[in-house]
Amino acid sequence: MKGFNTKAVHAGQEPEKLTGAVIPPIYQTSTYAQQAPAKTKGYDYTRANNPNFERLETALAALEEGKCAVVFSSGLGAALAVLNLLKAGDHVVAGHDLYGGTYRLFTQWGMKFGLSFDFVDGAQAQNFAKTLRPATKLIWVETPTNPLLAVTDIKAVCRAARLKKILTVVDNTFATPYFQKPLELGADISLHSTTKYIGGHSDVVGGAVICNDKKLAEGLRFGRMALGINPSPFDCWLTSRGLKTLGLRMEQHQKNARALVSFLKKHPKTKKVCYPGFGGMISAEFKLSVVQTKKLISSLKVFTLAESLGGVESLVCHPATMTHASVPPAERARRGLSDALVRFSCGIEAPEDLTADVGSALDSIGQP
Ligand SMILES: *Cc1c(COP(=O)(O)O)cnc(C)c1O
């Protein structure tokens, strides 16, 4: 199997042996019968492992061109398992334009347990290398960044890290393996909130890491079991179901985003559009006050006002008060995350309905 869509449909999805069921069943069990004490068929308790975890892991590893994958209860569960590879005193360098929950995990949880963090402008790869210290054990790259959608040169960051044996993690949630394969660019770990594009239908929360090193995967799997950040069998089954259409969906997300970008760029009320050139996410600012901007977001009809992204339905959000509310105002200002910024997650609807929706909302809001 070589093609992305072939792998998406078939990897980890072989028919079930017992009955021939084409769609593998949900192993909705917490525990497994043992033939003798500690003699198992490879499974003992679902916090540690379950066939639905493994099927999803096989598919994710195939799509990211990696050897191993480990699935978690959420994207932040996956991030916690990565931090769990470190110990008190270790130092982490991360891009400053991060998912708000990741920033909160680092600063309000990691710091409490003796980790220290530096946040740099990830748009310039050399900023990571410049900030390394002897205690640096991990580099965290989120690209394209959230919500400003800047792109980091993964290869350059990983080259600098490899020389010093520093682990590199790329949060690949926004690009997905359809557009970007961090392991091929030299990263040690590709991380996902599978809640977003991988699941793709806004009906399940999950996370995953993909890597090439079996020992590293074992360490992450230990974290899942020891910290209790395992997903449920049903959630993995749903994610496996969603993942099959990832390639088809990403094409339409991108087509819709490109249509909205060209519409916005021509619109007289647009101040700034952030779009990395690929994918389904757009951020924009308008020649409107913050109050008017919030009114604009609330008056959209096809775009639903909600946190999250990557589902088949279009969503819009106000990062300053929603996804990034946990980032202090001064820190938001430092990053260039304005209170007037609007983030669009373009779904897979007809593109003309998305542009018409934004167009009529803009028409209904007066001049600032
Ligand atoms: C949503 C998100 C996360 C966190 O994932 P959850 O599944 O919500 O825990 C991490 N990184 C990025 C880029 C995200 O969008």
Side-chain angles (χ1 to χ4, degrees):
M1 289 194 283
K2 283 218 176 77
F4 188 92
N5 288 337
T6 314
K7 289 181 193 171
V9 171
H10 291 289
Q13 289 290 311
E14 299 75 22
E16 187 245 354
K17 289 208 182 73
L18 192 64
T19 62
V22 167
I23 301 305
I26 307 168
Y27 291 82
Q28 192 68 34
T29 187
S30 60
T31 189
Y32 305 82
Q34 307 197 1
Q35 291 128 301
K39 189 159 181 260
T40 69
K41 295 185 174 176
Y43 305 93
D44 57 10
Y45 190 58
T46 283
R47 175 156 37 71
N49 208 0
N50 178 285
N52 292 112
F53 301 1
E54 292 179 327
R55 286 181 177 273
L56 177 56
E57 288 166 352
T58 301
L60 290 170
L63 293 181
E64 287 267 356
E65 304 292 342
K67 291 203 177 83
C68 329
V70 188
V71 292
F72 294 92
S73 53
S74 65
L76 283 184
L80 177 60
V82 172
L83 291 190
N84 189 54
L85 298 168
L86 307 179
K87 59 179 188 328
D90 288 349
H91 174 246
V92 179
V93 181
H96 68 189
D97 194 17
L98 274 184
Y99 175 69
T102 307
Y103 181 80
R104 182 177 54 208
L105 176 71
F106 288 178
T107 55
Q108 293 185 40
W109 186 88
M111 282 183 181
K112 210 168 71 172
F113 287 88
L115 300 175
S116 61
F117 297 85
D118 266 311
F119 298 96
V120 302
D121 180 357
Q124 307 295 327
Q126 68 268 27
N127 288 343
F128 288 91
K130 270 197 266 176
T131 315
L132 302 180
R133 303 186 203 154
T136 308
K137 292 284 154 35
L138 184 72
I139 294 180
W140 192 283
V141 180
E142 192 177 308
T143 181
T145 64
N146 179 13
L148 292 167
L149 304 170
V151 175
T152 305
D153 182 346
I154 297 175
K155 250 190 194 167
V157 174
C158 295
R159 211 179 299 124
R162 184 137 302 185
L163 293 173
K164 302 195 167 155
K165 298 208 162 67
I166 296 168
L167 208 62
T168 46
V169 180
V170 174
D171 184 332
N172 202 26
T173 300
F174 274 36
T176 83
Y178 189 71
F179 292 119
Q180 172 171 281
K181 295 187 179 66
L183 301 183
E184 289 188 339
L185 300 171
D188 294 300
I189 292 175
S190 177
L191 179 142
H192 283 278
S193 167
T194 55
T195 312
K196 316 292 166 56
Y197 287 110
I198 301 254
H201 295 74
S202 307
D203 53 9
V204 60
V205 172
V209 296
I210 302 96
C211 64
N212 277 320
D213 180 339
K214 274 199 179 134
K215 269 223 169 108
L216 188 56
E218 260 169 46
L220 293 160
R221 209 165 271 133
F222 172 82
R224 178 174 73 188
M225 189 265 298
L227 297 167
I229 43 179
N230 56 288
S232 79
F234 180 50
D235 285 355
C236 290
W237 185 89
L238 269 179
T239 306
S240 294
R241 182 191 207 266
L243 175 130
K244 292 178 191 179
T245 53
L246 180 62
L248 303 181
R249 286 186 281 108
M250 291 319 290
E251 283 294 336
Q252 187 68 25
H253 286 302
Q254 173 168 273
K255 187 176 162 196
N256 288 357
R258 287 180 172 170
L260 186 56
V261 166
S262 48
F263 175 81
L264 289 175
K265 282 193 169 159
K266 282 186 227 130
H267 200 284
K269 282 185 185 156
T270 304
K271 193 160 138 198
K272 170 173 124 178
V273 182
C274 311
Y275 183 64
F278 64 92
M281 298 300 297
I282 303 168
S283 289
E285 276 184 49
F286 299 94
K287 292 172 190 156
L288 299 171
S289 68
V290 174
V291 172
Q292 286 174 317
T293 301
K294 287 190 190 169
K295 215 163 120 194
L296 171 85
I297 302 173
S298 312
S299 63
L300 292 167
K301 303 231 155 45
V302 182
F303 282 86
T304 301
L305 173 56
E307 300 208 0
S308 200
L309 61 112
V312 292
E313 61 288 304
S314 291
L315 301 179
V316 64
C317 90
H318 180 239
T321 56
M322 295 168 68
T323 52
H324 290 67
S326 61
V327 178
E331 178 60 26
R332 286 204 303 267
R334 195 173 75 85
R335 298 181 194 180
L337 199 174
S338 145
D339 284 355
L341 194 77
V342 179
R343 192 185 76 180
F344 298 94
S345 169
C346 299
I348 62 165
E349 302 93 336
E352 59 274 20
D353 288 329
L354 302 187
T355 51
D357 192 30
V358 176
S360 48
L362 279 169
D363 289 346
S364 71
I365 309 283
Q367 296 298 331

